[in-house]
Amino acid sequence: MNKDEDLEKYAKELQEQIMEQIKKRYSENVIAHWQNPKNFQKMDNPDGCAQVKGSCGDTMEMFLKMKDGVVKQCTFQTDGCGTSIVCGSVATELAQNKSFTQALGGVTAEEILKQLGGLPEEDVHCAQLAAETLRRALADYLYQKRAPWKKHYRNT
Ligand code: FES
């Protein structure tokens, strides 16, 4: 085995060890969203949007496209940890095709955690960040609906 093959083998073993550690801490659904996050993109011209800084200092942004009071599209961005990406992915999936009221009342941190089969205690705030960002994006939608001219003054 040459030096490159040695290095490649070492990297592969390391990767497998890391994945084993991750599997011990997180459910299959967490890993699936982590490897393939949904709706992870900025949206142009949203009907509602919000940016929230979590207790950890990380930020999440959410964007909504609404039609007849129903969430037709929900996307997000974050500069946060892997778990925040997972939680944003789940929150945006849950919100899609829900009425304003269903999304507001139903996409809570508890629901996100339930969908994920729970998270380690130190990651629970990532679910809270995703739920709070969605709540504020929905509030922004309501605000924009009442004062549509204000949309032109926001930085999105
Ligand atoms: Fe900041 Fe997860 S550690 S959002």
Side-chain angles (χ1 to χ4, degrees), residues 113-132:
L113 291 169
K114 193 174 142 199
Q115 294 289 322
L116 290 170
L119 284 172
E121 188 57 39
E122 62 271 23
D123 292 335
V124 167
H125 71 276
C126 312
Q128 290 162 345
L129 176 61
E132 179 62 12

Side-chain angles (χ1 to χ4, degrees), residues 54-60 78 80-84 122-123 125-126 129:
S55 54
C56 58
D58 294 332
T59 302
M60 188 176 288
T78 182
C81 64
T83 316
S84 72
E122 62 271 23
D123 292 335
H125 71 276
C126 312
L129 176 61

Side-chain angles (χ1 to χ4, degrees), residues 101-117:
T101 323
Q102 286 170 333
L104 192 63
V107 188
T108 59
E110 291 72 28
E111 186 57 33
I112 294 167
L113 291 169
K114 193 174 142 199
Q115 294 289 322
L116 290 170

Side-chain angles (χ1 to χ4, degrees), residues 57-149:
D58 294 332
T59 302
M60 188 176 288
E61 264 182 290
M62 251 180 223
F63 312 91
L64 298 170
K65 271 276 180 251
M66 305 289 292
K67 189 160 190 258
D68 302 327
V70 172
V71 179
K72 279 295 154 199
Q73 200 188 357
C74 182
T75 66
F76 77 105
Q77 284 191 323
T78 182
D79 61 6
C81 64
T83 316
S84 72
I85 295 173
V86 168
C87 292
S89 176
V90 171
T92 53
E93 273 202 323
L94 283 172
Q96 228 118 244
N97 295 316
K98 286 208 167 52
S99 71
F100 176 88
T101 323
Q102 286 170 333
L104 192 63
V107 188
T108 59
E110 291 72 28
E111 186 57 33
I112 294 167
L113 291 169
K114 193 174 142 199
Q115 294 289 322
L116 290 170
L119 284 172
E121 188 57 39
E122 62 271 23
D123 292 335
V124 167
H125 71 276
C126 312
Q128 290 162 345
L129 176 61
E132 179 62 12
T133 311
L134 177 65
R135 195 182 69 77
R136 293 210 201 167
L138 287 162
D140 182 61
Y141 159 69
L142 213 57
Y143 182 70
Q144 301 303 330
K145 221 171 102 168
R146 291 196 179 134
W149 55 272

